[in-house]
PDB file of all heavy atoms in Angstrom:
ATOM      1  N   GLU A  26     -31.089   3.672 -34.521  1.00 86.00           N
ATOM      2  CA  GLU A  26     -31.504   2.728 -33.473  1.00 86.00           C
ATOM      3  C   GLU A  26     -32.599   3.323 -32.597  1.00 86.00           C
ATOM      4  O   GLU A  26     -33.558   2.646 -32.239  1.00 86.00           O
ATOM      5  CB  GLU A  26     -30.310   2.308 -32.625  1.00 86.00           C
ATOM      6  CG  GLU A  26     -29.557   1.184 -33.284  1.00 86.00           C
ATOM      7  CD  GLU A  26     -28.194   0.967 -32.688  1.00 86.00           C
ATOM      8  OE1 GLU A  26     -27.929   1.494 -31.595  1.00 86.00           O
ATOM      9  OE2 GLU A  26     -27.386   0.298 -33.347  1.00 86.00           O
ATOM     10  N   ALA A 142     -33.118  -9.912 -33.722  1.00 53.00           N
ATOM     11  CA  ALA A 142     -32.626  -9.271 -32.508  1.00 53.00           C
ATOM     12  C   ALA A 142     -31.202  -8.772 -32.736  1.00 53.00           C
ATOM     13  O   ALA A 142     -30.425  -9.383 -33.451  1.00 53.00           O
ATOM     14  CB  ALA A 142     -32.650 -10.253 -31.352  1.00 53.00           C
ATOM     15  N   PHE A 143     -30.890  -7.650 -32.101  1.00 62.00           N
ATOM     16  CA  PHE A 143     -29.595  -7.004 -32.267  1.00 62.00           C
ATOM     17  C   PHE A 143     -28.494  -7.866 -31.634  1.00 62.00           C
ATOM     18  O   PHE A 143     -28.643  -8.362 -30.544  1.00 62.00           O
ATOM     19  CB  PHE A 143     -29.650  -5.656 -31.545  1.00 62.00           C
ATOM     20  CG  PHE A 143     -28.420  -4.816 -31.676  1.00 62.00           C
ATOM     21  CD1 PHE A 143     -28.402  -3.734 -32.538  1.00 62.00           C
ATOM     22  CD2 PHE A 143     -27.288  -5.103 -30.936  1.00 62.00           C
ATOM     23  CE1 PHE A 143     -27.280  -2.949 -32.653  1.00 62.00           C
ATOM     24  CE2 PHE A 143     -26.153  -4.324 -31.045  1.00 62.00           C
ATOM     25  CZ  PHE A 143     -26.150  -3.243 -31.899  1.00 62.00           C
ATOM     26  N   GLY A 144     -27.356  -7.959 -32.351  1.00 65.00           N
ATOM     27  CA  GLY A 144     -26.185  -8.537 -31.696  1.00 65.00           C
ATOM     28  C   GLY A 144     -25.600  -9.747 -32.370  1.00 65.00           C
ATOM     29  O   GLY A 144     -25.930 -10.872 -32.037  1.00 65.00           O
ATOM     30  N   THR A 145     -24.718  -9.517 -33.351  1.00 71.00           N
ATOM     31  CA  THR A 145     -23.959 -10.636 -33.914  1.00 71.00           C
ATOM     32  C   THR A 145     -22.466 -10.408 -33.712  1.00 71.00           C
ATOM     33  O   THR A 145     -21.662 -11.216 -34.119  1.00 71.00           O
ATOM     34  CB  THR A 145     -24.216 -10.763 -35.428  1.00 71.00           C
ATOM     35  OG1 THR A 145     -23.984  -9.491 -36.032  1.00 71.00           O
ATOM     36  CG2 THR A 145     -25.604 -11.242 -35.722  1.00 71.00           C
ATOM     37  N   GLY A 146     -22.120  -9.267 -33.111  1.00 73.00           N
ATOM     38  CA  GLY A 146     -20.705  -8.950 -32.919  1.00 73.00           C
ATOM     39  C   GLY A 146     -20.177  -8.003 -33.970  1.00 73.00           C
ATOM     40  O   GLY A 146     -19.070  -7.499 -33.864  1.00 73.00           O
ATOM     41  N   HIS A 148     -21.372  -5.116 -34.582  1.00 81.00           N
ATOM     42  CA  HIS A 148     -21.494  -3.725 -34.134  1.00 81.00           C
ATOM     43  C   HIS A 148     -20.406  -3.404 -33.102  1.00 81.00           C
ATOM     44  O   HIS A 148     -20.140  -4.216 -32.209  1.00 81.00           O
ATOM     45  CB  HIS A 148     -22.881  -3.513 -33.517  1.00 81.00           C
ATOM     46  CG  HIS A 148     -23.214  -2.065 -33.411  1.00 81.00           C
ATOM     47  ND1 HIS A 148     -22.809  -1.298 -32.348  1.00 81.00           N
ATOM     48  CD2 HIS A 148     -23.854  -1.228 -34.253  1.00 81.00           C
ATOM     49  CE1 HIS A 148     -23.211  -0.051 -32.544  1.00 81.00           C
ATOM     50  NE2 HIS A 148     -23.849   0.013 -33.699  1.00 81.00           N
ATOM     51  N   THR A 150     -20.341  -1.662 -30.461  1.00 90.00           N
ATOM     52  CA  THR A 150     -20.731  -1.691 -29.043  1.00 90.00           C
ATOM     53  C   THR A 150     -20.729  -3.122 -28.506  1.00 90.00           C
ATOM     54  O   THR A 150     -20.392  -3.363 -27.354  1.00 90.00           O
ATOM     55  CB  THR A 150     -22.127  -1.072 -28.840  1.00 90.00           C
ATOM     56  OG1 THR A 150     -23.085  -1.819 -29.590  1.00 90.00           O
ATOM     57  CG2 THR A 150     -22.164   0.377 -29.288  1.00 90.00           C
ATOM     58  N   THR A 151     -21.117  -4.081 -29.368  1.00 91.00           N
ATOM     59  CA  THR A 151     -21.082  -5.498 -28.978  1.00 91.00           C
ATOM     60  C   THR A 151     -19.636  -5.969 -28.915  1.00 91.00           C
ATOM     61  O   THR A 151     -19.226  -6.665 -27.965  1.00 91.00           O
ATOM     62  CB  THR A 151     -21.860  -6.353 -30.004  1.00 91.00           C
ATOM     63  OG1 THR A 151     -23.139  -5.782 -30.219  1.00 91.00           O
ATOM     64  CG2 THR A 151     -21.985  -7.789 -29.543  1.00 91.00           C
ATOM     65  N   ALA A 152     -18.855  -5.591 -29.941  1.00 92.00           N
ATOM     66  CA  ALA A 152     -17.454  -6.022 -29.999  1.00 92.00           C
ATOM     67  C   ALA A 152     -16.695  -5.563 -28.753  1.00 92.00           C
ATOM     68  O   ALA A 152     -15.894  -6.325 -28.180  1.00 92.00           O
ATOM     69  CB  ALA A 152     -16.799  -5.471 -31.262  1.00 92.00           C
ATOM     70  N   CYS A 154     -17.806  -5.160 -25.750  1.00 97.00           N
ATOM     71  CA  CYS A 154     -18.161  -6.030 -24.604  1.00 97.00           C
ATOM     72  C   CYS A 154     -17.537  -7.415 -24.754  1.00 97.00           C
ATOM     73  O   CYS A 154     -17.078  -8.012 -23.777  1.00 97.00           O
ATOM     74  CB  CYS A 154     -19.677  -6.172 -24.491  1.00 97.00           C
ATOM     75  SG  CYS A 154     -20.507  -4.650 -24.085  1.00 97.00           S
ATOM     76  N   LEU A 155     -17.541  -7.938 -25.980  1.00 96.00           N
ATOM     77  CA  LEU A 155     -16.958  -9.271 -26.205  1.00 96.00           C
ATOM     78  C   LEU A 155     -15.458  -9.244 -25.891  1.00 96.00           C
ATOM     79  O   LEU A 155     -14.905 -10.188 -25.318  1.00 96.00           O
ATOM     80  CB  LEU A 155     -17.206  -9.727 -27.643  1.00 96.00           C
ATOM     81  CG  LEU A 155     -18.678 -10.030 -27.966  1.00 96.00           C
ATOM     82  CD1 LEU A 155     -18.870 -10.230 -29.467  1.00 96.00           C
ATOM     83  CD2 LEU A 155     -19.154 -11.268 -27.194  1.00 96.00           C
ATOM     84  N   ASP A 170     -26.709 -10.459 -18.297  1.00 98.00           N
ATOM     85  CA  ASP A 170     -26.678  -9.720 -19.572  1.00 98.00           C
ATOM     86  C   ASP A 170     -27.979  -8.928 -19.633  1.00 98.00           C
ATOM     87  O   ASP A 170     -29.051  -9.487 -19.886  1.00 98.00           O
ATOM     88  CB  ASP A 170     -26.561 -10.742 -20.715  1.00 98.00           C
ATOM     89  CG  ASP A 170     -26.591 -10.090 -22.095  1.00 98.00           C
ATOM     90  OD1 ASP A 170     -26.645  -8.847 -22.172  1.00 98.00           O
ATOM     91  OD2 ASP A 170     -26.547 -10.838 -23.091  1.00 98.00           O
ATOM     92  N   TYR A 171     -27.887  -7.614 -19.349  1.00 98.00           N
ATOM     93  CA  TYR A 171     -29.083  -6.769 -19.227  1.00 98.00           C
ATOM     94  C   TYR A 171     -29.294  -6.054 -20.554  1.00 98.00           C
ATOM     95  O   TYR A 171     -28.535  -5.155 -20.907  1.00 98.00           O
ATOM     96  CB  TYR A 171     -28.878  -5.778 -18.078  1.00 98.00           C
ATOM     97  CG  TYR A 171     -30.159  -5.216 -17.527  1.00 98.00           C
ATOM     98  CD1 TYR A 171     -30.734  -5.732 -16.369  1.00 98.00           C
ATOM     99  CD2 TYR A 171     -30.812  -4.179 -18.174  1.00 98.00           C
ATOM    100  CE1 TYR A 171     -31.922  -5.223 -15.872  1.00 98.00           C
ATOM    101  CE2 TYR A 171     -32.001  -3.666 -17.669  1.00 98.00           C
ATOM    102  CZ  TYR A 171     -32.548  -4.195 -16.519  1.00 98.00           C
ATOM    103  OH  TYR A 171     -33.731  -3.696 -16.021  1.00 98.00           O
ATOM    104  N   GLY A 172     -30.321  -6.453 -21.319  1.00 95.00           N
ATOM    105  CA  GLY A 172     -30.530  -5.959 -22.694  1.00 95.00           C
ATOM    106  C   GLY A 172     -29.829  -6.915 -23.633  1.00 95.00           C
ATOM    107  O   GLY A 172     -28.909  -6.568 -24.358  1.00 95.00           O
ATOM    108  N   CYS A 173     -30.301  -8.187 -23.633  1.00 94.00           N
ATOM    109  CA  CYS A 173     -29.514  -9.283 -24.239  1.00 94.00           C
ATOM    110  C   CYS A 173     -29.587  -9.317 -25.764  1.00 94.00           C
ATOM    111  O   CYS A 173     -28.701  -9.894 -26.407  1.00 94.00           O
ATOM    112  CB  CYS A 173     -29.920 -10.623 -23.646  1.00 94.00           C
ATOM    113  SG  CYS A 173     -31.682 -10.998 -23.818  1.00 94.00           S
ATOM    114  N   GLY A 174     -30.630  -8.742 -26.408  1.00 89.00           N
ATOM    115  CA  GLY A 174     -30.720  -8.800 -27.871  1.00 89.00           C
ATOM    116  C   GLY A 174     -30.688 -10.248 -28.340  1.00 89.00           C
ATOM    117  O   GLY A 174     -31.516 -11.068 -27.951  1.00 89.00           O
ATOM    118  N   SER A 175     -29.693 -10.591 -29.152  1.00 88.00           N
ATOM    119  CA  SER A 175     -29.553 -11.969 -29.645  1.00 88.00           C
ATOM    120  C   SER A 175     -29.044 -12.921 -28.566  1.00 88.00           C
ATOM    121  O   SER A 175     -29.037 -14.136 -28.766  1.00 88.00           O
ATOM    122  CB  SER A 175     -28.550 -11.982 -30.798  1.00 88.00           C
ATOM    123  OG  SER A 175     -27.273 -11.615 -30.285  1.00 88.00           O
ATOM    124  N   GLY A 176     -28.547 -12.355 -27.438  1.00 93.00           N
ATOM    125  CA  GLY A 176     -27.951 -13.187 -26.387  1.00 93.00           C
ATOM    126  C   GLY A 176     -26.461 -13.384 -26.571  1.00 93.00           C
ATOM    127  O   GLY A 176     -25.832 -14.163 -25.842  1.00 93.00           O
ATOM    128  N   VAL A 177     -25.857 -12.635 -27.503  1.00 93.00           N
ATOM    129  CA  VAL A 177     -24.454 -12.874 -27.834  1.00 93.00           C
ATOM    130  C   VAL A 177     -23.542 -12.736 -26.617  1.00 93.00           C
ATOM    131  O   VAL A 177     -22.626 -13.560 -26.435  1.00 93.00           O
ATOM    132  CB  VAL A 177     -23.996 -11.945 -29.001  1.00 93.00           C
ATOM    133  CG1 VAL A 177     -24.158 -10.478 -28.674  1.00 93.00           C
ATOM    134  CG2 VAL A 177     -22.571 -12.218 -29.424  1.00 93.00           C
ATOM    135  N   LEU A 178     -23.796 -11.759 -25.743  1.00 96.00           N
ATOM    136  CA  LEU A 178     -22.906 -11.572 -24.590  1.00 96.00           C
ATOM    137  C   LEU A 178     -23.125 -12.677 -23.560  1.00 96.00           C
ATOM    138  O   LEU A 178     -22.171 -13.184 -22.954  1.00 96.00           O
ATOM    139  CB  LEU A 178     -23.129 -10.192 -23.949  1.00 96.00           C
ATOM    140  CG  LEU A 178     -22.966  -8.988 -24.878  1.00 96.00           C
ATOM    141  CD1 LEU A 178     -23.190  -7.687 -24.110  1.00 96.00           C
ATOM    142  CD2 LEU A 178     -21.589  -8.982 -25.542  1.00 96.00           C
ATOM    143  N   ALA A 179     -24.388 -13.065 -23.381  1.00 97.00           N
ATOM    144  CA  ALA A 179     -24.694 -14.153 -22.442  1.00 97.00           C
ATOM    145  C   ALA A 179     -24.024 -15.451 -22.891  1.00 97.00           C
ATOM    146  O   ALA A 179     -23.423 -16.179 -22.084  1.00 97.00           O
ATOM    147  CB  ALA A 179     -26.211 -14.342 -22.359  1.00 97.00           C
ATOM    148  N   VAL A 193     -31.651 -10.912 -19.884  1.00 97.00           N
ATOM    149  CA  VAL A 193     -32.980 -10.279 -19.800  1.00 97.00           C
ATOM    150  C   VAL A 193     -33.087  -9.162 -20.829  1.00 97.00           C
ATOM    151  O   VAL A 193     -32.079  -8.613 -21.276  1.00 97.00           O
ATOM    152  CB  VAL A 193     -33.256  -9.712 -18.376  1.00 97.00           C
ATOM    153  CG1 VAL A 193     -33.162 -10.800 -17.329  1.00 97.00           C
ATOM    154  CG2 VAL A 193     -32.323  -8.549 -18.031  1.00 97.00           C
ATOM    155  N   ASP A 194     -34.313  -8.839 -21.226  1.00 94.00           N
ATOM    156  CA  ASP A 194     -34.542  -7.779 -22.209  1.00 94.00           C
ATOM    157  C   ASP A 194     -35.993  -7.319 -22.081  1.00 94.00           C
ATOM    158  O   ASP A 194     -36.845  -8.073 -21.594  1.00 94.00           O
ATOM    159  CB  ASP A 194     -34.274  -8.307 -23.630  1.00 94.00           C
ATOM    160  CG  ASP A 194     -33.915  -7.195 -24.611  1.00 94.00           C
ATOM    161  OD1 ASP A 194     -34.792  -6.367 -24.934  1.00 94.00           O
ATOM    162  OD2 ASP A 194     -32.753  -7.146 -25.052  1.00 94.00           O
ATOM    163  N   ILE A 195     -36.264  -6.088 -22.551  1.00 92.00           N
ATOM    164  CA  ILE A 195     -37.656  -5.613 -22.571  1.00 92.00           C
ATOM    165  C   ILE A 195     -38.362  -6.028 -23.861  1.00 92.00           C
ATOM    166  O   ILE A 195     -39.554  -5.858 -23.996  1.00 92.00           O
ATOM    167  CB  ILE A 195     -37.749  -4.068 -22.427  1.00 92.00           C
ATOM    168  CG1 ILE A 195     -36.836  -3.365 -23.421  1.00 92.00           C
ATOM    169  CG2 ILE A 195     -37.459  -3.631 -21.018  1.00 92.00           C
ATOM    170  CD1 ILE A 195     -37.068  -1.867 -23.506  1.00 92.00           C
ATOM    171  N   ASP A 196     -37.596  -6.551 -24.823  1.00 86.00           N
ATOM    172  CA  ASP A 196     -38.150  -6.889 -26.141  1.00 86.00           C
ATOM    173  C   ASP A 196     -38.411  -8.400 -26.220  1.00 86.00           C
ATOM    174  O   ASP A 196     -37.465  -9.192 -26.160  1.00 86.00           O
ATOM    175  CB  ASP A 196     -37.124  -6.451 -27.199  1.00 86.00           C
ATOM    176  CG  ASP A 196     -37.440  -6.977 -28.580  1.00 86.00           C
ATOM    177  OD1 ASP A 196     -38.625  -7.252 -28.850  1.00 86.00           O
ATOM    178  OD2 ASP A 196     -36.501  -7.105 -29.385  1.00 86.00           O
ATOM    179  N   SER A 199     -36.296 -10.478 -28.528  1.00 87.00           N
ATOM    180  CA  SER A 199     -34.933 -10.758 -28.061  1.00 87.00           C
ATOM    181  C   SER A 199     -34.911 -11.986 -27.158  1.00 87.00           C
ATOM    182  O   SER A 199     -33.965 -12.782 -27.206  1.00 87.00           O
ATOM    183  CB  SER A 199     -34.381  -9.554 -27.285  1.00 87.00           C
ATOM    184  OG  SER A 199     -34.222  -8.475 -28.153  1.00 87.00           O
ATOM    185  N   VAL A 221     -36.988  -8.359 -17.628  1.00 97.00           N
ATOM    186  CA  VAL A 221     -36.132  -7.544 -16.762  1.00 97.00           C
ATOM    187  C   VAL A 221     -36.568  -7.630 -15.296  1.00 97.00           C
ATOM    188  O   VAL A 221     -35.730  -7.534 -14.395  1.00 97.00           O
ATOM    189  CB  VAL A 221     -36.084  -6.064 -17.223  1.00 97.00           C
ATOM    190  CG1 VAL A 221     -35.276  -5.916 -18.483  1.00 97.00           C
ATOM    191  CG2 VAL A 221     -37.457  -5.478 -17.405  1.00 97.00           C
ATOM    192  N   LEU A 231     -23.378  -6.977 -17.635  1.00 98.00           N
ATOM    193  CA  LEU A 231     -23.060  -6.401 -18.942  1.00 98.00           C
ATOM    194  C   LEU A 231     -24.308  -5.704 -19.445  1.00 98.00           C
ATOM    195  O   LEU A 231     -25.384  -6.316 -19.460  1.00 98.00           O
ATOM    196  CB  LEU A 231     -22.690  -7.521 -19.927  1.00 98.00           C
ATOM    197  CG  LEU A 231     -21.595  -8.478 -19.455  1.00 98.00           C
ATOM    198  CD1 LEU A 231     -21.705  -9.813 -20.175  1.00 98.00           C
ATOM    199  CD2 LEU A 231     -20.230  -7.861 -19.691  1.00 98.00           C
ATOM    200  N   ALA A 232     -24.189  -4.428 -19.831  1.00 98.00           N
ATOM    201  CA  ALA A 232     -25.365  -3.715 -20.342  1.00 98.00           C
ATOM    202  C   ALA A 232     -24.950  -2.901 -21.557  1.00 98.00           C
ATOM    203  O   ALA A 232     -24.280  -1.879 -21.431  1.00 98.00           O
ATOM    204  CB  ALA A 232     -25.958  -2.812 -19.257  1.00 98.00           C
ATOM    205  N   ASN A 233     -25.324  -3.394 -22.735  1.00 95.00           N
ATOM    206  CA  ASN A 233     -25.058  -2.675 -23.981  1.00 95.00           C
ATOM    207  C   ASN A 233     -26.381  -2.089 -24.453  1.00 95.00           C
ATOM    208  O   ASN A 233     -27.123  -2.716 -25.204  1.00 95.00           O
ATOM    209  CB  ASN A 233     -24.455  -3.634 -25.009  1.00 95.00           C
ATOM    210  CG  ASN A 233     -24.259  -2.967 -26.357  1.00 95.00           C
ATOM    211  OD1 ASN A 233     -24.314  -1.739 -26.454  1.00 95.00           O
ATOM    212  ND2 ASN A 233     -24.039  -3.764 -27.388  1.00 95.00           N
ATOM    213  N   ILE A 234     -26.704  -0.905 -23.933  1.00 92.00           N
ATOM    214  CA  ILE A 234     -27.966  -0.225 -24.258  1.00 92.00           C
ATOM    215  C   ILE A 234     -27.576   1.225 -24.604  1.00 92.00           C
ATOM    216  O   ILE A 234     -26.421   1.594 -24.433  1.00 92.00           O
ATOM    217  CB  ILE A 234     -28.945  -0.279 -23.055  1.00 92.00           C
ATOM    218  CG1 ILE A 234     -28.971  -1.689 -22.441  1.00 92.00           C
ATOM    219  CG2 ILE A 234     -30.348   0.098 -23.448  1.00 92.00           C
ATOM    220  CD1 ILE A 234     -29.936  -1.854 -21.261  1.00 92.00           C
ATOM    221  N   LEU A 235     -28.469   2.031 -25.083  1.00 86.00           N
ATOM    222  CA  LEU A 235     -28.097   3.419 -25.413  1.00 86.00           C
ATOM    223  C   LEU A 235     -27.915   4.258 -24.140  1.00 86.00           C
ATOM    224  O   LEU A 235     -28.338   3.850 -23.052  1.00 86.00           O
ATOM    225  CB  LEU A 235     -29.168   4.035 -26.314  1.00 86.00           C
ATOM    226  CG  LEU A 235     -29.313   3.373 -27.686  1.00 86.00           C
ATOM    227  CD1 LEU A 235     -30.515   3.933 -28.425  1.00 86.00           C
ATOM    228  CD2 LEU A 235     -28.047   3.528 -28.524  1.00 86.00           C
ATOM    229  N   PRO A 238     -31.236   5.289 -21.738  1.00 93.00           N
ATOM    230  CA  PRO A 238     -31.715   4.245 -20.825  1.00 93.00           C
ATOM    231  C   PRO A 238     -30.662   3.836 -19.792  1.00 93.00           C
ATOM    232  O   PRO A 238     -31.015   3.524 -18.650  1.00 93.00           O
ATOM    233  CB  PRO A 238     -32.071   3.063 -21.737  1.00 93.00           C
ATOM    234  CG  PRO A 238     -31.751   3.465 -23.134  1.00 93.00           C
ATOM    235  CD  PRO A 238     -31.400   4.919 -23.142  1.00 93.00           C
ATOM    236  N   LEU A 239     -29.376   3.882 -20.141  1.00 96.00           N
ATOM    237  CA  LEU A 239     -28.352   3.517 -19.146  1.00 96.00           C
ATOM    238  C   LEU A 239     -28.383   4.501 -17.974  1.00 96.00           C
ATOM    239  O   LEU A 239     -28.211   4.094 -16.821  1.00 96.00           O
ATOM    240  CB  LEU A 239     -26.953   3.519 -19.779  1.00 96.00           C
ATOM    241  CG  LEU A 239     -26.609   2.299 -20.638  1.00 96.00           C
ATOM    242  CD1 LEU A 239     -25.215   2.458 -21.229  1.00 96.00           C
ATOM    243  CD2 LEU A 239     -26.699   0.999 -19.840  1.00 96.00           C
ATOM    244  N   LEU A 242     -31.360   3.713 -15.891  1.00 98.00           N
ATOM    245  CA  LEU A 242     -31.240   2.400 -15.236  1.00 98.00           C
ATOM    246  C   LEU A 242     -30.181   2.369 -14.129  1.00 98.00           C
ATOM    247  O   LEU A 242     -30.001   1.323 -13.495  1.00 98.00           O
ATOM    248  CB  LEU A 242     -30.880   1.329 -16.280  1.00 98.00           C
ATOM    249  CG  LEU A 242     -32.006   0.859 -17.194  1.00 98.00           C
ATOM    250  CD1 LEU A 242     -31.450   0.090 -18.389  1.00 98.00           C
ATOM    251  CD2 LEU A 242     -33.003  -0.014 -16.412  1.00 98.00           C
ATOM    252  N   SER A 259     -21.963  -0.321 -22.260  1.00 96.00           N
ATOM    253  CA  SER A 259     -21.636  -0.018 -23.653  1.00 96.00           C
ATOM    254  C   SER A 259     -22.884   0.542 -24.329  1.00 96.00           C
ATOM    255  O   SER A 259     -23.972   0.537 -23.754  1.00 96.00           O
ATOM    256  CB  SER A 259     -21.146  -1.298 -24.341  1.00 96.00           C
ATOM    257  OG  SER A 259     -20.635  -1.006 -25.612  1.00 96.00           O
ATOM    258  N   GLY A 260     -22.709   1.067 -25.564  1.00 91.00           N
ATOM    259  CA  GLY A 260     -23.849   1.614 -26.303  1.00 91.00           C
ATOM    260  C   GLY A 260     -23.899   3.125 -26.231  1.00 91.00           C
ATOM    261  O   GLY A 260     -24.866   3.730 -26.672  1.00 91.00           O
TER     262      GLY A 260
HETATM  263  C1  LIG B 301     -27.784  -2.528 -28.569  1.00 88.26           C
HETATM  264  S1  LIG B 301     -28.775  -3.924 -28.212  1.00 88.26           S
HETATM  265  C2  LIG B 301     -27.560  -4.988 -27.437  1.00 88.26           C
HETATM  266  C3  LIG B 301     -27.771  -6.460 -27.655  1.00 88.26           C
HETATM  267  C4  LIG B 301     -26.653  -7.344 -27.170  1.00 88.26           C
HETATM  268  N1  LIG B 301     -26.552  -7.362 -25.725  1.00 88.26           N
HETATM  269  C5  LIG B 301     -25.323  -6.930 -27.755  1.00 88.26           C
HETATM  270  O1  LIG B 301     -24.426  -6.549 -27.005  1.00 88.26           O
HETATM  271  O2  LIG B 301     -25.180  -6.993 -28.990  1.00 88.26           O
HETATM  272  C6  LIG B 301     -29.720  -3.300 -26.854  1.00 88.26           C
HETATM  273  C7  LIG B 301     -30.766  -4.233 -26.295  1.00 88.26           C
HETATM  274  O3  LIG B 301     -31.251  -3.633 -25.097  1.00 88.26           O
HETATM  275  C8  LIG B 301     -32.645  -3.778 -25.047  1.00 88.26           C
HETATM  276  N2  LIG B 301     -33.155  -2.678 -24.204  1.00 88.26           N
HETATM  277  C9  LIG B 301     -33.391  -1.401 -24.547  1.00 88.26           C
HETATM  278  N3  LIG B 301     -33.818  -0.704 -23.475  1.00 88.26           N
HETATM  279  C10 LIG B 301     -33.849  -1.571 -22.426  1.00 88.26           C
HETATM  280  C11 LIG B 301     -34.208  -1.457 -21.052  1.00 88.26           C
HETATM  281  N4  LIG B 301     -34.634  -0.310 -20.522  1.00 88.26           N
HETATM  282  N5  LIG B 301     -34.114  -2.554 -20.284  1.00 88.26           N
HETATM  283  C12 LIG B 301     -33.686  -3.733 -20.798  1.00 88.26           C
HETATM  284  N6  LIG B 301     -33.342  -3.900 -22.090  1.00 88.26           N
HETATM  285  C13 LIG B 301     -33.425  -2.840 -22.892  1.00 88.26           C
HETATM  286  C14 LIG B 301     -33.101  -3.745 -26.488  1.00 88.26           C
HETATM  287  O4  LIG B 301     -34.346  -4.396 -26.626  1.00 88.26           O
HETATM  288  C15 LIG B 301     -31.959  -4.456 -27.198  1.00 88.26           C
HETATM  289  O5  LIG B 301     -32.205  -5.841 -27.327  1.00 88.26           O
END
Side-chain angles (χ1 to χ4, degrees):
E26 276 165 15
F143 183 103
T145 52
H148 197 275
T150 60
T151 310
C154 294
L155 291 170
D170 177 3
Y171 201 99
C173 57
S175 65
V177 59
L178 304 181
V193 302
D194 204 292
I195 51 169
D196 169 25
S199 294
V221 288
L231 307 156
N233 176 15
I234 315 181
L235 296 172
L239 282 178
L242 284 165
S259 189

